[in-house]
């Protein structure tokens, strides 16, 4: 039982490049989330998907797009990466919004 | 907006002592609270949760206390071990919305 799997684990991008962060969960959870974590700060919600077929903006959505491909997968896309998007990105899932989240191990992204 | 916060950014304790990490929340509508542990280079890991109809919940070596009167949450770790060294986050869920995370407290265990 893998839980929440994120790929890649590390990525370096040049300013203006695009990329997609992948996330998959095998717990049959309804809700999925993307967070970013900057040094010395807590987790900030980028986008979430309360259920398959729905997505909504979180606290810091600018510069990102998401796709809930199916119940298992929720991807995060950076269309034109900026240095301000250098961060560690965490995907999480939960049975629904009123249960604890299970987090992936994170993607460390550097934009130069 | 309403948020979850922590009183102490860093807590240093002696191995074997008990640790208490505190968290203040401001949203009186919050009905579900969680503590997470995050070790260096890893994702947050669920430790223990508590719903607003309870004031105490115990797990293995951990206890969460909820005081709704003063909107305060605490995590107690008994017989703290070096493996407990990590950043601890509290999170609140206000009536079905997403979890809001606090800024985190770093726990350092001295041998």
């Amino acid at each position: 039982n893998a839980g929440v799997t994120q790929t890649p684990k590390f990525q370096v991008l040049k300013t203006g490049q695009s990329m997609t962060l992948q996330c998959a969960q095998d717990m049959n959870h309804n809700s999925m989330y993307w967070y970013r974590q900057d040094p010395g700060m807590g987790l900030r919600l980028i986008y979430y998907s309360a259920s398959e077929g729905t997505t909504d903006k979180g606290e810091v959505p600018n510069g990102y797009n998401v796709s809930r491909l199916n119940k298992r997968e929720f991807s995060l896309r950076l269309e034109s990466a900026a240095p301000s998007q250098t961060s560690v990105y965490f995907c999480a899932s939960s049975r629904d919004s009123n249960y604890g989240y299970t987090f992936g191990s994170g993607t460390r992204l550097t934009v130069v | 907006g309403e948020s979850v916060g922590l009183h102490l950014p860093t807590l240093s304790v002696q191995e074997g002592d008990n640790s208490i990490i505190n968290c203040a929340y401001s949203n009186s509508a919050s009905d579900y609270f969680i503590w997470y542990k995050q070790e260096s280079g890893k994702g947050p890991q669920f430790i223990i949760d508590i719903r607003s109809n309870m004031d105490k919940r115990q797990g293995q070596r951990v206890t969460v206390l909820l005081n709704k009167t003063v909107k305060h949450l605490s995590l107690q770790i008994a017989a703290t071990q070096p493996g407990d060294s990590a950043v601890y986050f509290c999170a609140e869920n206000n009536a079905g919305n997403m979890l809001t995370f606090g800024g985190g407290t770093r726990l350092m265990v001295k041998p």
Side-chain angles (χ1 to χ4, degrees):
Chain A
N1 192 341
V4 178
T5 302
Q6 291 183 237
T7 56
K9 293 188 183 303
F10 301 94
Q11 183 72 49
V12 178
L13 290 178
K14 294 182 179 179
T15 298
Q17 287 186 316
S18 61
M19 78 161 294
T20 300
L21 281 64
Q22 306 288 351
C23 176
Q25 51 91 9
D26 61 2
M27 297 170 285
N28 201 36
H29 283 170
N30 292 312
S31 303
M32 298 186 73
Y33 313 84
W34 276 105
Y35 284 87
R36 61 177 289 173
Q37 186 176 39
D38 299 305
M41 296 183 68
L43 295 152
R44 292 186 292 170
L45 182 65
I46 304 170
Y47 270 93
Y48 68 98
S49 172
S51 61
E52 185 179 358
T54 68
T55 61
D56 286 285
K57 295 179 180 179
E59 180 186 356
V60 288
N62 291 343
Y64 306 94
N65 284 299
V66 291
S67 296
R68 183 75 183 265
L69 304 171
N70 47 55
K71 191 171 186 178
R72 290 187 64 248
E73 299 172 287
F74 188 39
S75 63
L76 178 72
R77 182 161 179 83
L78 287 70
E79 290 291 352
S80 179
S84 62
Q85 295 178 304
T86 293
S87 189
V88 181
Y89 291 84
F90 288 102
C91 177
S93 71
S94 66
R95 179 176 156 182
D96 64 38
S97 62
N98 206 29
Y99 287 83
Y101 296 1
T102 300
F103 283 85
S105 57
T107 295
R108 187 173 297 275
L109 175 67
T110 302
V111 183
V112 298
Chain B
E2 300 186 285
S3 62
V4 175
L6 294 170
H7 298 302
L8 299 173
T10 303
L11 177 64
S12 184
V13 300
Q14 201 71 37
E15 181 179 356
D17 288 351
N18 296 334
S19 302
I20 300 176
I21 300 172
N22 296 303
C23 178
Y25 66 95
S26 57
N27 189 340
S28 57
S30 294
D31 58 1
Y32 180 52
F33 305 87
I34 308 174
W35 280 101
Y36 284 91
K37 172 186 180 182
Q38 187 175 25
E39 296 175 276
S40 181
K42 297 184 179 180
Q45 178 185 11
F46 175 95
I47 302 173
I48 191 167
D49 60 0
I50 188 167
R51 297 197 183 271
S52 58
N53 60 349
M54 303 173 68
D55 54 20
K56 180 179 180 179
R57 190 158 188 234
Q58 288 184 289
Q60 187 176 14
R61 282 201 308 118
V62 294
T63 300
V64 56
L65 299 177
L66 175 63
N67 186 331
K68 294 181 287 293
T69 302
V70 295
K71 296 202 259 320
H72 185 267
L73 190 71
S74 68
L75 177 70
Q76 300 179 359
I77 304 174
T80 311
Q81 302 169 0
D84 294 326
S85 293
V87 176
Y88 290 81
F89 294 95
C90 63
E92 63 175 324
N93 183 315
N94 54 349
N97 294 324
M98 282 65 62
L99 289 180
T100 300
F101 288 84
T105 292
R106 181 175 300 280
L107 176 64
M108 300 175 63
V109 182
K110 296 178 289 186

